[in-house]
Amino acid sequence: MFGRVRNAYGRFRDARRARSGPGDQGGSQKPSRGGAKRPRNLFEAAAAYVSACAEDDQESIDEAAGWVSPEALSFGVNELACRAVIALARERDESPRTVARELLGLPSA
């Protein structure tokens, strides 16, 4: 029973987001190939947020933080960090734990 309610609510929420106008979360949209606007996804927000943090660009940090909810941004940043550590570990032929500790300046365990 709850599955039906959850699915109905999800369809309602998705339909409402699709109909939202420029005044509703207008900063969270960008033109797509067809010229229509689409919402930013959490990975785009995370990439923009982390890049802006690395460049110390507060305006871009604030913009990217407004694209998705704080929880979604946190998940995206966490996923980006995991993928980056794994990629560096493969490049260096070291364990992800060693790479993560080196990036944070911690002594090896």
Side-chain angles (χ1 to χ4, degrees):
M1 177 176 163
F2 289 111
R4 287 183 181 175
V5 172
R6 188 175 26 245
N7 289 339
Y9 176 74
R11 286 192 305 271
F12 169 76
R13 186 185 60 216
D14 293 343
R16 190 155 183 224
R17 284 183 182 164
R19 285 185 297 192
S20 65
D24 299 327
Q25 306 261 344
S28 68
Q29 304 207 355
K30 73 172 188 176
S32 65
R33 287 184 222 158
K37 300 226 177 202
R38 69 171 181 79
R40 304 269 187 164
N41 75 34
L42 67 101
F43 296 115
E44 288 174 319
Y49 183 84
V50 170
S51 299
C53 286
E55 296 168 355
D56 198 25
D57 181 359
Q58 189 61 45
E59 186 176 318
S60 295
I61 290 171
D62 295 339
E63 180 184 354
W67 291 346
V68 294
S69 71
E71 295 83 10
L73 183 61
S74 176
F75 175 80
V77 168
N78 181 55
E79 187 67 22
L80 179 60
C82 289
R83 291 179 187 194
V85 167
I86 290 169
L88 280 172
R90 287 179 181 159
E91 251 181 43
R92 297 178 181 183
D93 198 27
E94 295 178 350
S95 74
R97 176 182 296 238
T98 302
V99 171
R101 294 184 68 84
E102 285 177 12
L103 288 172
L104 293 172
L106 299 173
S108 56

